[in-house]
Amino acid sequence: MLNLNNISITFNANTPDEKKVLKNINLNIKKGDFITVIGSNGAGKSTLYNVIAGTLKPNTGTILLTDENGVQKNITSDAEFKRARYIGRIFQNPLLGTAGKMSLEDNMMICYKKGFKGFKISLNNKMREFFREQLRVLNMGLENRLGDNVELFSGGQRQALTLLMAVMSKPSLLLLDEHTAALDPTNAAIIMELTRRFAHEYNLTVMMVTHNMQHALDYGNRLIMMNKGEIISDISGEEKKQLTMDSIVELFKKIKVNNDNVMLN
Protein backbone atom coordinates (compact mmCIF):
# COMPACT_ATOMS: atom_id res chain seq x y z
CA MET A 1 0.00 0.00 0.00
CA LEU A 2 2.77 2.43 0.98
CA ASN A 3 6.46 1.76 0.46
CA LEU A 4 9.31 3.81 1.87
CA ASN A 5 12.58 3.02 0.13
CA ASN A 6 15.96 4.14 1.49
CA ILE A 7 14.53 7.24 3.19
CA SER A 8 17.13 9.46 4.85
CA ILE A 9 16.97 12.92 6.37
CA THR A 10 19.86 14.98 7.69
CA PHE A 11 19.38 18.26 9.52
CA ASN A 12 22.03 21.00 9.21
CA ALA A 13 24.04 19.01 6.70
CA ASN A 14 27.75 19.86 6.34
CA THR A 15 27.79 21.95 9.52
CA PRO A 16 29.06 21.24 13.05
CA ASP A 17 25.40 20.69 14.01
CA GLU A 18 24.78 18.00 11.41
CA LYS A 19 22.38 15.33 12.63
CA LYS A 20 21.14 12.27 10.76
CA VAL A 21 17.57 11.84 11.99
CA LEU A 22 16.49 9.09 9.57
CA LYS A 23 18.95 6.58 8.13
CA ASN A 24 18.00 4.49 5.09
CA ILE A 25 14.51 3.68 6.26
CA ASN A 26 12.82 0.84 4.37
CA LEU A 27 9.22 0.15 5.30
CA ASN A 28 6.42 -1.69 3.52
CA ILE A 29 2.99 -0.82 4.91
CA LYS A 30 0.36 -3.27 3.74
CA LYS A 31 -3.36 -2.67 3.38
CA GLY A 32 -5.06 -3.40 6.73
CA ASP A 33 -1.86 -3.22 8.78
CA PHE A 34 -2.13 -1.77 12.28
CA ILE A 35 1.45 -0.86 13.18
CA THR A 36 2.44 0.33 16.63
CA VAL A 37 5.63 2.42 16.67
CA ILE A 38 7.82 2.70 19.76
CA GLY A 39 11.19 4.22 20.58
CA SER A 40 12.79 6.67 22.98
CA ASN A 41 12.72 10.43 22.47
CA GLY A 42 14.86 11.36 19.48
CA ALA A 43 14.48 7.94 17.87
CA GLY A 44 12.99 9.49 14.71
CA LYS A 45 9.31 8.60 15.15
CA SER A 46 7.93 12.11 14.59
CA THR A 47 10.31 12.70 11.69
CA LEU A 48 9.14 9.46 10.08
CA TYR A 49 5.53 10.64 10.40
CA ASN A 50 6.42 14.04 8.95
CA VAL A 51 8.01 12.34 5.94
CA ILE A 52 4.97 10.12 5.36
CA ALA A 53 2.54 13.03 5.75
CA GLY A 54 4.57 15.29 3.48
CA THR A 55 5.55 17.83 6.13
CA LEU A 56 9.20 17.02 5.45
CA LYS A 57 10.80 15.89 2.21
CA PRO A 58 13.54 13.27 2.46
CA ASN A 59 17.08 14.03 1.33
CA THR A 60 17.23 10.61 -0.32
CA GLY A 61 14.81 7.82 -1.11
CA THR A 62 11.32 7.42 -2.54
CA ILE A 63 7.78 7.00 -1.24
CA LEU A 64 5.44 4.91 -3.38
CA LEU A 65 1.67 4.68 -2.91
CA THR A 66 -0.38 1.85 -4.43
CA ASP A 67 -4.04 2.76 -4.86
CA GLU A 68 -7.11 0.51 -4.64
CA ASN A 69 -6.74 -0.38 -8.33
CA GLY A 70 -3.16 -1.55 -7.88
CA VAL A 71 -1.68 1.50 -9.59
CA GLN A 72 1.58 2.64 -8.01
CA LYS A 73 2.40 6.34 -7.76
CA ASN A 74 5.55 8.11 -6.65
CA ILE A 75 4.42 10.66 -4.04
CA THR A 76 7.88 11.63 -2.74
CA SER A 77 7.51 15.21 -3.97
CA ASP A 78 3.79 15.62 -3.24
CA ALA A 79 2.99 18.49 -0.88
CA GLU A 80 1.34 17.88 2.48
CA PHE A 81 -2.03 19.25 1.35
CA LYS A 82 -2.10 16.80 -1.55
CA ARG A 83 -1.30 13.83 0.67
CA ALA A 84 -4.02 14.91 3.12
CA ARG A 85 -6.52 13.53 0.60
CA TYR A 86 -5.43 10.00 1.40
CA ILE A 87 -3.32 10.27 4.58
CA GLY A 88 -5.04 11.28 7.82
CA ARG A 89 -3.18 12.32 10.95
CA ILE A 90 -4.32 12.74 14.56
CA PHE A 91 -2.05 14.59 16.96
CA GLN A 92 -1.54 14.43 20.71
CA ASN A 93 -3.29 17.79 21.22
CA PRO A 94 -7.10 17.24 21.05
CA LEU A 95 -7.58 20.84 19.85
CA LEU A 96 -5.67 20.35 16.59
CA GLY A 97 -8.10 18.02 14.82
CA THR A 98 -11.19 20.24 14.83
CA ALA A 99 -12.12 23.87 14.16
CA GLY A 100 -13.22 25.15 17.55
CA LYS A 101 -15.03 28.25 16.27
CA MET A 102 -17.17 26.19 13.90
CA SER A 103 -20.22 24.10 14.75
CA LEU A 104 -20.06 20.35 15.08
CA GLU A 105 -22.13 19.82 11.94
CA ASP A 106 -19.88 22.17 9.92
CA ASN A 107 -16.77 20.31 11.10
CA MET A 108 -18.32 17.02 10.04
CA MET A 109 -19.46 18.41 6.72
CA ILE A 110 -15.94 19.52 5.84
CA CYS A 111 -14.44 16.11 6.62
CA TYR A 112 -17.23 14.24 4.86
CA LYS A 113 -16.76 16.25 1.67
CA LYS A 114 -13.07 15.40 1.83
CA GLY A 115 -13.80 11.69 1.71
CA PHE A 116 -16.80 11.82 -0.64
CA LYS A 117 -16.06 10.69 -4.18
CA GLY A 118 -19.47 11.24 -5.76
CA PHE A 119 -21.62 14.18 -6.74
CA LYS A 120 -21.97 17.47 -4.84
CA ILE A 121 -23.49 17.18 -1.36
CA SER A 122 -25.06 19.81 0.87
CA LEU A 123 -25.98 20.16 4.53
CA ASN A 124 -29.65 19.30 4.93
CA ASN A 125 -31.87 17.39 7.37
CA LYS A 126 -30.99 14.06 5.78
CA MET A 127 -27.28 14.80 6.17
CA ARG A 128 -27.78 15.93 9.78
CA GLU A 129 -29.50 12.64 10.59
CA PHE A 130 -26.60 10.79 9.00
CA PHE A 131 -24.18 12.74 11.21
CA ARG A 132 -26.27 11.89 14.29
CA GLU A 133 -26.05 8.20 13.42
CA GLN A 134 -22.26 8.43 13.19
CA LEU A 135 -21.98 10.36 16.44
CA ARG A 136 -24.08 7.87 18.39
CA VAL A 137 -21.21 5.40 18.03
CA LEU A 138 -19.12 7.63 20.30
CA ASN A 139 -21.68 7.32 23.10
CA MET A 140 -20.93 10.88 24.28
CA GLY A 141 -24.23 12.61 23.56
CA LEU A 142 -22.74 14.66 20.74
CA GLU A 143 -25.54 13.62 18.38
CA ASN A 144 -27.70 16.18 20.22
CA ARG A 145 -25.19 19.03 19.84
CA LEU A 146 -24.81 19.46 16.09
CA GLY A 147 -25.27 23.24 16.32
CA ASP A 148 -22.77 23.77 19.15
CA ASN A 149 -19.32 25.13 18.45
CA VAL A 150 -16.68 22.46 19.00
CA GLU A 151 -14.70 24.69 21.37
CA LEU A 152 -17.40 23.96 23.98
CA PHE A 153 -16.51 20.26 24.06
CA SER A 154 -14.07 18.54 26.42
CA GLY A 155 -10.67 17.29 25.26
CA GLY A 156 -11.91 13.71 25.22
CA GLN A 157 -14.97 14.64 23.17
CA ARG A 158 -12.87 16.57 20.67
CA GLN A 159 -10.37 13.74 20.25
CA ALA A 160 -13.19 11.22 19.79
CA LEU A 161 -14.73 13.55 17.21
CA THR A 162 -11.37 13.94 15.46
CA LEU A 163 -11.03 10.18 15.24
CA LEU A 164 -14.55 9.79 13.87
CA MET A 165 -14.02 12.50 11.26
CA ALA A 166 -10.73 10.96 10.20
CA VAL A 167 -12.50 7.65 9.61
CA MET A 168 -15.32 9.38 7.72
CA SER A 169 -12.82 10.94 5.32
CA LYS A 170 -11.80 7.39 4.26
CA PRO A 171 -8.00 7.72 4.42
CA SER A 172 -5.72 5.19 2.79
CA LEU A 173 -3.50 5.51 5.86
CA LEU A 174 -4.27 6.91 9.31
CA LEU A 175 -1.35 8.21 11.39
CA LEU A 176 -1.98 8.33 15.14
CA ASP A 177 0.64 10.48 16.84
CA GLU A 178 0.35 9.66 20.57
CA HIS A 179 -3.34 10.52 20.22
CA THR A 180 -4.24 9.62 23.83
CA ALA A 181 -1.18 11.06 25.61
CA ALA A 182 -2.90 14.34 26.62
CA LEU A 183 -6.05 12.67 27.94
CA ASP A 184 -6.96 11.42 31.39
CA PRO A 185 -6.98 7.60 31.79
CA THR A 186 -10.77 7.29 31.40
CA ASN A 187 -10.93 9.24 28.14
CA ALA A 188 -7.73 7.60 26.89
CA ALA A 189 -9.34 4.18 27.34
CA ILE A 190 -12.45 5.35 25.45
CA ILE A 191 -10.36 6.65 22.55
CA MET A 192 -8.31 3.47 22.38
CA GLU A 193 -11.41 1.29 22.28
CA LEU A 194 -12.85 3.48 19.50
CA THR A 195 -9.52 3.17 17.68
CA ARG A 196 -9.68 -0.61 17.88
CA ARG A 197 -13.32 -0.67 16.78
CA PHE A 198 -12.89 1.67 13.81
CA ALA A 199 -9.72 -0.08 12.64
CA HIS A 200 -11.56 -3.42 12.61
CA GLU A 201 -14.92 -2.31 11.22
CA TYR A 202 -13.50 -0.14 8.44
CA ASN A 203 -10.41 -2.26 7.72
CA LEU A 204 -8.23 0.79 8.26
CA THR A 205 -4.51 0.89 7.65
CA VAL A 206 -3.06 2.46 10.80
CA MET A 207 0.26 3.54 12.26
CA MET A 208 0.22 4.45 15.95
CA VAL A 209 3.15 6.05 17.75
CA THR A 210 2.88 5.42 21.47
CA HIS A 211 4.97 5.62 24.64
CA ASN A 212 2.50 3.27 26.32
CA MET A 213 4.14 -0.13 26.06
CA GLN A 214 0.94 -1.92 27.01
CA HIS A 215 -0.84 -0.28 24.09
CA ALA A 216 2.04 -1.29 21.83
CA LEU A 217 1.53 -4.89 22.92
CA ASP A 218 -2.28 -4.96 22.94
CA TYR A 219 -3.00 -3.23 19.63
CA GLY A 220 -2.16 -4.00 16.05
CA ASN A 221 -0.59 -6.81 14.07
CA ARG A 222 2.89 -5.28 13.80
CA LEU A 223 5.28 -3.52 16.16
CA ILE A 224 8.14 -1.35 14.95
CA MET A 225 10.93 -0.25 17.25
CA MET A 226 13.06 2.77 16.29
CA ASN A 227 16.40 3.93 17.63
CA LYS A 228 18.71 6.70 16.45
CA GLY A 229 16.86 7.20 13.18
CA GLU A 230 16.63 3.55 12.23
CA ILE A 231 14.02 0.82 12.35
CA ILE A 232 15.82 -1.71 14.51
CA SER A 233 12.99 -4.23 14.84
CA ASP A 234 9.81 -5.07 12.92
CA ILE A 235 7.76 -7.78 14.60
CA SER A 236 4.45 -9.12 13.31
CA GLY A 237 1.97 -11.98 13.46
CA GLU A 238 2.42 -14.72 16.04
CA GLU A 239 5.79 -13.34 17.10
CA LYS A 240 4.15 -10.08 18.15
CA LYS A 241 1.40 -11.93 20.00
CA GLN A 242 4.05 -13.64 22.11
CA LEU A 243 5.71 -10.37 23.14
CA THR A 244 5.66 -9.26 26.76
CA MET A 245 6.77 -6.06 28.45
CA ASP A 246 9.95 -7.79 29.64
CA SER A 247 10.75 -9.16 26.19
CA ILE A 248 10.47 -5.70 24.62
CA VAL A 249 12.83 -4.25 27.22
CA GLU A 250 15.31 -7.07 26.72
CA LEU A 251 15.10 -6.73 22.93
CA PHE A 252 15.84 -3.03 23.13
CA LYS A 253 18.76 -3.59 25.49
CA LYS A 254 20.21 -6.27 23.23
CA ILE A 255 19.95 -4.15 20.11
CA LYS A 256 21.35 -1.10 21.89
CA VAL A 257 24.35 -3.05 23.16
CA ASN A 258 25.01 -4.47 19.68
CA ASN A 259 24.76 -1.00 18.13
CA ASP A 260 27.12 0.47 20.73
CA ASN A 261 29.64 -2.32 20.06
CA VAL A 262 29.50 -1.60 16.33
CA MET A 263 30.21 2.06 17.00
CA LEU A 264 33.21 1.15 19.19
CA ASN A 265 34.77 -1.26 16.69
Side-chain angles (χ1 to χ4, degrees):
M1 198 279 294
L2 192 73
N3 287 283
L4 281 67
N5 302 311
N6 298 313
I7 296 294
S8 295
I9 285 190
T10 300
F11 292 156
N12 304 311
N14 303 315
T15 74
D17 296 322
E18 179 176 298
K19 182 178 181 181
K20 295 181 179 180
V21 289
L22 291 182
K23 306 171 186 176
N24 298 316
I25 295 290
N26 289 286
L27 179 62
N28 178 23
I29 303 171
K30 301 174 183 177
K31 175 67 177 174
D33 267 346
F34 189 141
I35 304 172
T36 55
V37 185
I38 61 174
S40 58
N41 291 332
K45 304 183 300 296
S46 293
T47 304
L48 176 63
Y49 265 28
N50 287 334
V51 167
I52 293 174
T55 309
L56 285 174
K57 288 185 173 56
N59 298 124
T60 63
T62 58
I63 304 173
L64 304 176
L65 175 72
T66 303
D67 65 21
E68 296 178 354
N69 299 316
V71 177
Q72 193 172 72
K73 177 185 177 183
N74 188 331
I75 64 169
T76 312
S77 299
D78 283 4
E80 184 176 12
F81 76 91
K82 288 185 177 180
R83 295 193 205 181
R85 299 171 187 167
Y86 43 83
I87 297 178
R89 187 173 183 179
I90 299 180
F91 295 90
Q92 182 180 137
N93 187 344
L95 306 185
L96 294 179
T98 50
K101 298 295 184 182
M102 295 178 63
S103 69
L104 171 53
E105 62 184 20
D106 285 339
N107 271 269
M108 294 189 73
M109 192 67 182
I110 290 172
C111 86
Y112 189 65
K113 283 183 175 179
K114 174 184 170 184
F116 196 77
K117 310 302 182 184
F119 49 84
K120 184 177 179 181
I121 57 175
S122 59
L123 183 58
N124 51 37
N125 288 336
K126 183 177 180 180
M127 185 59 60
R128 289 186 178 94
E129 184 54 37
F130 170 73
F131 289 160
R132 290 189 186 97
E133 290 176 7
Q134 304 303 306
L135 289 164
R136 287 188 186 101
V137 174
L138 304 181
N139 197 28
M140 292 181 169
L142 296 182
E143 65 271 16
N144 301 316
R145 302 183 65 181
L146 285 179
D148 289 352
N149 282 2
V150 172
E151 65 182 355
L152 300 175
F153 301 163
S154 70
Q157 288 172 326
R158 289 187 70 163
Q159 199 69 321
L161 177 59
T162 298
L163 181 60
L164 175 63
M165 293 197 307
V167 172
M168 289 175 60
S169 68
K170 302 177 182 178
S172 298
L173 174 64
L174 180 60
L175 303 175
L176 305 177
D177 197 350
E178 295 188 67
H179 67 312
T180 64
L183 303 177
D184 62 82
T186 298
N187 278 308
I190 291 171
I191 297 302
M192 288 307 303
E193 183 52 38
L194 286 170
T195 300
R196 187 198 301 273
R197 177 176 176 177
F198 288 150
H200 174 71
E201 291 183 357
Y202 294 92
N203 192 29
L204 297 177
T205 305
V206 180
M207 289 185 70
M208 181 178 77
V209 166
T210 180
H211 281 294
N212 187 315
M213 292 300 100
Q214 198 61 54
H215 287 171
L217 291 173
D218 292 345
Y219 291 82
N221 65 304
R222 287 174 68 184
L223 183 147
I224 286 175
M225 183 182 293
M226 296 189 68
N227 185 51
K228 297 180 180 179
E230 298 179 289
I231 294 176
I232 58 176
S233 188
D234 186 347
I235 303 170
S236 61
E238 287 300 318
E239 185 180 2
K240 181 182 183 298
K241 291 179 182 179
Q242 298 302 318
L243 285 176
T244 64
M245 201 79 73
D246 289 341
S247 64
I248 288 181
V249 172
E250 288 303 314
L251 177 63
F252 183 78
K253 286 181 179 179
K254 180 180 179 181
I255 294 172
K256 186 177 186 302
V257 168
N258 289 340
N259 285 350
D260 289 344
N261 287 338
V262 169
M263 292 176 66
L264 292 172
N265 290 336

